């Protein structure tokens, strides 16, 4: 069976940046399972998997536009230290959930300068070229319930 809209796909992957640094991998774990066409994985990778079948191996390079987007400068902000009430020590790399006009947003602390904290609301992989080494393990037709819910159920998916 070929990967198409509403098929369930399980694949192993290793994700590297342009420097060859491994950012994530399914090695030693179960394959990543998703519902194709439901927006469960980044668009560039999903597009490259379309039409493939179990057993195929491929290398996919995904641009920032088709991945986690370009860096958006407006998501980098200086915040007063007292906005972090109840947090004694704030260090670069820490993540917090900020309440914004558009709803909750995960932000990462980039630097702390006196009473000012610089936070970044971009996805940590925004602006990066993403390189995937993929091996497709399984492709099957999704159940009507999986299609209705927009995600995979059972092994590798969501248990209801």
């Amino acid at each position: 069976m070929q990967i198409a809209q509403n098929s369930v796909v399980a694949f192993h992957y290793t994700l590297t940046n342009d420097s060859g640094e491994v950012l994530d991998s399914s090695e030693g774990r179960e394959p990543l399972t998703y519902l194709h066409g439901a927006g469960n994985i980044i668009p560039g990778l999903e597009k490259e998997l379309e039409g493939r079948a179990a057993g195929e191996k491929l290398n996919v390079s995904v641009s920032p536009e088709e991945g986690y987007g370009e860096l958006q400068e407006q998501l980098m902000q200086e915040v007063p230290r007292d906005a972090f009430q109840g947090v004694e020590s704030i260090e670069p790399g820490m993540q917090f959930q900020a309440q914004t006009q558009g709803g909750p947003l995960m932000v990462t602390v980039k630097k702390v300068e006196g009473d000012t904290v610089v936070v970044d609301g971009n996805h940590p992989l925004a602006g990066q070229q993403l390189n995937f080494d993929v091996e497709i393990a399984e492709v099957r037709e999704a159940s009507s319930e999986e299609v209705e819910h927009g995600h995979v159920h059972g092994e590798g998916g969501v248990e209801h």
Side-chain angles (χ1 to χ4, degrees), residues 3-9 11 32-47 49-50 66-68 123 142 146-152:
I3 297 172
Q5 182 74 27
N6 296 330
S7 56
V8 173
V9 181
F11 68 95
L32 176 66
T33 304
Y34 77 100
L35 177 62
H36 193 80
N40 297 155
I41 63 173
I42 59 172
L45 180 57
E46 187 170 60
K47 183 169 63 176
L49 292 175
E50 181 91 24
E66 297 258 308
Y68 292 99
H123 186 282
E146 288 171 322
V147 172
E148 182 182 326
H149 290 189
H151 57 250
V152 177

Side-chain angles (χ1 to χ4, degrees), residues 10-71:
F11 68 95
H12 284 285
Y13 68 94
T14 297
L15 168 62
T16 58
N17 60 17
D18 276 346
S19 303
E21 175 187 2
V22 175
L23 304 174
D24 194 12
S25 177
S26 65
E27 187 175 327
R29 301 183 304 193
E30 292 296 315
L32 176 66
T33 304
Y34 77 100
L35 177 62
H36 193 80
N40 297 155
I41 63 173
I42 59 172
L45 180 57
E46 187 170 60
K47 183 169 63 176
E48 291 295 325
L49 292 175
E50 181 91 24
R52 305 292 184 146
E56 287 192 53
K57 295 180 181 182
L58 62 152
N59 295 309
V60 176
S61 186
V62 177
S63 68
E65 300 83 25
E66 297 258 308
Y68 292 99
E70 294 290 350
L71 282 173

Side-chain angles (χ1 to χ4, degrees), residues 57-90:
K57 295 180 181 182
L58 62 152
N59 295 309
V60 176
S61 186
V62 177
S63 68
E65 300 83 25
E66 297 258 308
Y68 292 99
E70 294 290 350
L71 282 173
Q72 297 178 45
E73 291 299 321
Q74 69 271 23
L75 293 178
M76 296 275 291
Q77 294 189 351
E78 292 184 354
V79 180
R81 169 70 175 86
D82 60 14
F84 296 85
Q85 295 175 8
V87 181
E88 286 188 31
S89 177
I90 300 175

